[in-house]
Coordinates of all heavy atoms in Angstrom, one line a residue:
Chain B
S547 N 46.3 152.0 178.2 CA 45.8 153.3 178.3 C 45.6 153.9 176.8 O 44.6 154.5 176.5 CB 46.7 154.3 178.9 OG 48.1 154.0 178.6
G548 N 46.4 153.4 175.8 CA 46.2 153.9 174.4 C 44.9 153.3 173.9 O 44.0 154.0 173.2
F549 N 44.7 152.0 174.1 CA 43.5 151.3 173.6 C 42.2 152.0 174.3 O 41.2 152.1 173.6 CB 43.5 149.9 173.9 CG 44.4 149.1 172.9 CD1 45.2 149.8 172.0 CD2 44.4 147.8 172.9 CE1 45.9 149.0 171.1 CE2 45.1 147.0 171.9 CZ 45.9 147.7 171.0
R550 N 42.3 152.3 175.6 CA 41.2 152.9 176.3 C 40.7 154.1 175.6 O 39.6 154.4 175.4 CB 41.5 153.3 177.7 CG 41.5 152.1 178.7 CD 40.2 152.2 179.5 NE 40.1 150.9 180.2 CZ 39.4 149.9 179.8 NH1 38.7 149.9 178.6 NH2 39.3 148.8 180.6
A551 N 41.7 154.9 175.1 CA 41.5 156.2 174.5 C 40.8 156.0 173.1 O 40.0 156.8 172.6 CB 42.6 157.0 174.4
Q552 N 41.3 154.9 172.4 CA 40.9 154.7 171.0 C 39.6 153.9 170.8 O 38.8 154.2 170.0 CB 42.1 154.0 170.2 CG 43.3 154.9 170.1 CD 43.2 156.1 169.3 OE1 42.5 156.1 168.3 NE2 43.9 157.2 169.7
A553 N 39.6 152.7 171.5 CA 38.5 151.8 171.2 C 37.2 152.2 171.9 O 37.2 152.5 173.1 CB 39.0 150.5 171.7
D554 N 36.0 152.0 171.1 CA 34.8 152.3 171.7 C 33.9 151.1 172.0 O 32.7 151.1 172.1 CB 34.0 153.3 170.9 CG 33.8 152.9 169.5 OD1 34.3 151.8 169.2 OD2 33.3 153.7 168.7
F555 N 34.6 150.0 172.0 CA 34.0 148.7 172.4 C 34.6 148.2 173.8 O 35.7 148.7 174.2 CB 34.1 147.6 171.4 CG 35.5 147.5 170.9 CD1 36.3 146.6 171.5 CD2 35.9 148.2 169.8 CE1 37.6 146.4 171.1 CE2 37.2 147.9 169.4 CZ 38.1 147.0 170.0
E556 N 34.0 147.2 174.4 CA 34.5 146.6 175.5 C 35.6 145.6 175.4 O 35.5 144.9 174.4 CB 33.4 145.9 176.4 CG 33.0 146.6 177.6 CD 32.4 145.8 178.6 OE1 31.2 145.5 178.5 OE2 33.0 145.4 179.6
M557 N 36.6 145.8 176.1 CA 37.8 144.9 175.8 C 38.1 144.1 177.0 O 37.7 144.4 178.3 CB 39.1 145.7 175.7 CG 39.1 146.4 174.4 SD 40.7 147.5 174.3 CE 40.3 148.8 175.5
G558 N 38.6 142.8 176.8 CA 38.8 141.9 177.9 C 40.3 141.4 177.6 O 40.9 141.7 176.6
A559 N 40.8 140.5 178.5 CA 42.2 140.0 178.2 C 42.2 138.6 178.7 O 41.5 138.2 179.6 CB 43.1 140.9 178.9
F560 N 43.0 137.7 178.1 CA 43.3 136.5 178.6 C 44.8 136.1 178.5 O 45.4 136.6 177.7 CB 42.4 135.4 177.9 CG 42.6 135.3 176.4 CD1 43.5 134.5 175.8 CD2 41.7 136.0 175.5 CE1 43.7 134.4 174.4 CE2 41.9 135.8 174.2 CZ 42.9 135.2 173.7
Y561 N 45.2 135.3 179.5 CA 46.6 135.0 179.4 C 46.9 134.0 178.4 O 46.0 133.3 177.9 CB 47.1 134.5 180.8 CG 46.3 133.4 181.5 CD1 46.6 132.0 181.2 CD2 45.4 133.7 182.4 CE1 45.9 131.0 181.7 CE2 44.7 132.6 183.1 CZ 44.9 131.4 182.7 OH 44.2 130.3 183.3
P562 N 48.1 133.7 178.0 CA 48.4 132.9 177.0 C 47.9 131.5 177.3 O 48.2 130.8 178.3 CB 49.9 132.7 176.9 CG 50.4 134.1 177.5 CD 49.3 134.5 178.5
P563 N 47.1 130.9 176.4 CA 46.5 129.5 176.6 C 47.5 128.5 176.8 O 48.5 128.5 176.1 CB 45.6 129.2 175.3 CG 45.5 130.6 174.7 CD 46.6 131.5 174.9
V564 N 47.3 127.6 177.7 CA 48.2 126.5 178.1 C 48.1 125.4 177.1 O 47.1 125.2 176.5 CB 48.0 126.1 179.5 CG1 48.4 127.1 180.6 CG2 46.6 125.5 179.7
P565 N 49.2 124.6 176.9 CA 49.2 123.6 175.8 C 48.0 122.6 176.2 O 47.5 122.0 175.2 CB 50.6 122.9 176.0 CG 51.5 123.9 176.6 CD 50.6 124.7 177.4
A566 N 47.9 122.1 177.3 CA 46.8 121.1 177.7 C 46.1 121.6 179.0 O 46.6 122.1 179.8 CB 47.4 119.8 177.8
A567 N 44.8 121.2 179.0 CA 44.0 121.6 180.2 C 44.7 121.0 181.4 O 45.2 120.0 181.5 CB 42.6 121.0 180.0
G568 N 44.7 121.9 182.4 CA 45.3 121.5 183.7 C 46.9 121.9 183.8 O 47.3 121.8 184.9
D569 N 47.4 122.2 182.8 CA 48.8 122.7 182.8 C 48.9 124.0 183.6 O 48.0 124.8 183.6 CB 49.4 123.0 181.5 CG 49.7 121.7 180.7 OD1 49.5 120.6 181.2 OD2 50.2 121.7 179.6
D570 N 50.1 124.1 184.2 CA 50.4 125.4 185.0 C 50.4 126.4 183.9 O 51.0 126.3 182.9 CB 51.7 125.3 185.8 CG 51.4 124.5 187.1 OD1 50.3 124.4 187.4 OD2 52.4 124.0 187.6
C571 N 50.0 127.7 184.2 CA 50.3 128.8 183.3 C 51.4 129.6 183.7 O 51.7 129.8 184.9 CB 48.9 129.5 183.1 SG 48.4 130.3 184.6
Y572 N 52.0 130.2 182.8 CA 53.2 131.1 183.0 C 52.9 132.3 182.2 O 52.5 132.3 181.1 CB 54.5 130.4 182.5 CG 54.8 129.2 183.4 CD1 54.3 127.9 183.1 CD2 55.7 129.3 184.4 CE1 54.6 126.9 183.7 CE2 56.0 128.1 185.2 CZ 55.5 126.9 184.8 OH 55.8 125.8 185.6
I573 N 53.3 133.5 182.7 CA 53.1 134.8 182.0 C 54.5 135.5 182.0 O 55.3 135.3 182.8 CB 52.1 135.6 182.6 CG1 52.3 135.9 184.1 CG2 50.7 135.2 182.4 CD1 51.6 137.0 184.7
S574 N 54.7 136.2 180.9 CA 55.8 137.1 180.8 C 55.5 138.4 181.5 O 54.7 139.1 181.1 CB 56.1 137.3 179.3 OG 57.0 138.3 179.2
D575 N 56.0 138.6 182.7 CA 55.8 139.8 183.5 C 57.2 140.5 183.5 O 58.0 140.4 184.5 CB 55.5 139.2 184.9 CG 55.0 140.3 185.9 OD1 55.2 141.5 185.5 OD2 54.6 139.9 187.0
H576 N 57.5 141.2 182.4 CA 58.7 141.6 182.1 C 59.2 142.9 182.9 O 58.5 143.9 182.7 CB 58.8 141.8 180.7 CG 60.3 142.1 180.3 ND1 61.3 141.1 180.3 CD2 60.9 143.2 179.9 CE1 62.4 141.6 180.0 NE2 62.3 142.9 179.6
T577 N 60.1 142.9 183.6 CA 60.7 144.0 184.3 C 61.2 145.0 183.4 O 61.9 144.8 182.4 CB 61.9 143.6 185.2 OG1 62.8 142.9 184.3 CG2 61.6 142.7 186.3
D578 N 60.6 146.2 183.5 CA 60.9 147.3 182.4 C 61.5 148.4 182.9 O 62.3 149.2 182.2 CB 59.5 147.5 181.8 CG 59.6 148.4 180.6 OD1 60.3 147.9 179.6 OD2 58.9 149.4 180.5
I579 N 61.2 149.0 184.1 CA 61.6 150.3 184.6 C 62.0 150.3 186.0 O 61.3 149.6 186.8 CB 60.7 151.3 184.1 CG1 61.1 152.7 184.4 CG2 59.2 151.0 184.8 CD1 60.1 153.8 183.9
A580 N 63.1 150.9 186.5 CA 63.4 151.0 187.8 C 64.0 152.3 188.1 O 64.2 153.1 187.2 CB 64.3 149.8 188.2
I581 N 64.4 152.6 189.3 CA 65.0 153.8 189.7 C 66.2 153.5 190.6 O 66.1 152.9 191.6 CB 64.0 154.8 190.2 CG1 64.6 156.3 190.3 CG2 63.4 154.4 191.5 CD1 63.6 157.4 190.3
G582 N 67.4 154.2 190.2 CA 68.5 154.1 191.1 C 69.1 155.4 191.5 O 68.6 156.5 191.2
M583 N 70.3 155.4 192.1 CA 70.8 156.6 192.6 C 72.2 156.9 191.9 O 73.0 156.0 191.8 CB 71.0 156.5 194.2 CG 71.4 157.8 194.8 SD 71.4 157.6 196.6 CE 73.0 156.8 196.9
N584 N 72.4 158.1 191.5 CA 73.8 158.5 191.0 C 74.8 158.4 192.1 O 74.6 159.0 193.3 CB 73.6 160.0 190.5 CG 74.8 160.5 189.9 OD1 75.9 159.9 190.0 ND2 74.7 161.6 189.3
A585 N 75.8 157.5 191.9 CA 76.8 157.3 193.0 C 77.5 158.7 193.4 O 78.0 158.7 194.5 CB 77.7 156.3 192.5
A586 N 77.5 159.7 192.5 CA 78.1 160.9 192.8 C 77.2 162.0 193.3 O 77.5 163.1 193.5 CB 78.8 161.5 191.4
S587 N 76.0 161.5 193.7 CA 75.0 162.5 194.2 C 75.4 163.1 195.5 O 75.7 162.4 196.4 CB 73.6 161.8 194.2 OG 72.7 162.7 195.1
P588 N 75.3 164.4 195.6 CA 75.6 165.0 197.0 C 74.5 164.9 197.9 O 74.7 165.2 199.1 CB 75.8 166.6 196.6 CG 75.1 166.7 195.4 CD 75.0 165.5 194.6
N589 N 73.3 164.5 197.4 CA 72.1 164.4 198.3 C 71.8 162.9 198.7 O 70.5 162.6 198.5 CB 70.9 165.0 197.7 CG 71.3 166.5 197.3 OD1 72.0 167.2 198.1 ND2 70.9 166.9 196.1
A590 N 72.7 162.0 198.8 CA 72.4 160.7 199.0 C 71.4 160.3 200.0 O 70.6 159.5 199.8 CB 73.7 159.9 199.4
E591 N 71.4 161.0 201.2 CA 70.5 160.7 202.1 C 69.1 161.0 201.8 O 68.1 160.1 201.9 CB 70.8 161.7 203.4 CG 70.2 161.3 204.7 CD 70.7 159.8 205.0 OE1 71.9 159.5 204.9 OE2 69.9 159.1 205.6
A592 N 68.8 162.1 201.1 CA 67.4 162.4 200.5 C 67.1 161.5 199.5 O 65.9 160.9 199.4 CB 67.4 163.8 200.1
A593 N 68.1 161.1 198.7 CA 67.7 160.2 197.5 C 67.4 158.9 198.1 O 66.4 158.2 197.5 CB 69.0 160.1 196.7
R594 N 68.0 158.4 199.2 CA 67.6 157.1 199.7 C 66.2 157.1 200.4 O 65.4 156.2 200.2 CB 68.6 156.6 200.8 CG 70.0 156.3 200.2 CD 70.9 155.9 201.2 NE 70.6 154.5 201.7 CZ 71.3 153.4 201.2 NH1 72.2 153.5 200.3 NH2 71.0 152.3 201.7

Side-chain angles (χ1 to χ4, degrees):
Chain B
S547 42
F549 280 10
R550 276 264 171 267
Q552 298 290 328
D554 53 5
F555 49 85
E556 250 203 282
M557 289 177 290
F560 56 89
Y561 56 78
V564 293
D569 284 359
D570 283 341
C571 62
Y572 296 85
I573 51 167
S574 168
D575 185 355
H576 189 70
T577 51
D578 191 53
I579 184 168
I581 187 160
M583 187 171 88
N584 182 350
S587 165
N589 308 317
E591 200 56 39
R594 290 179 78 93

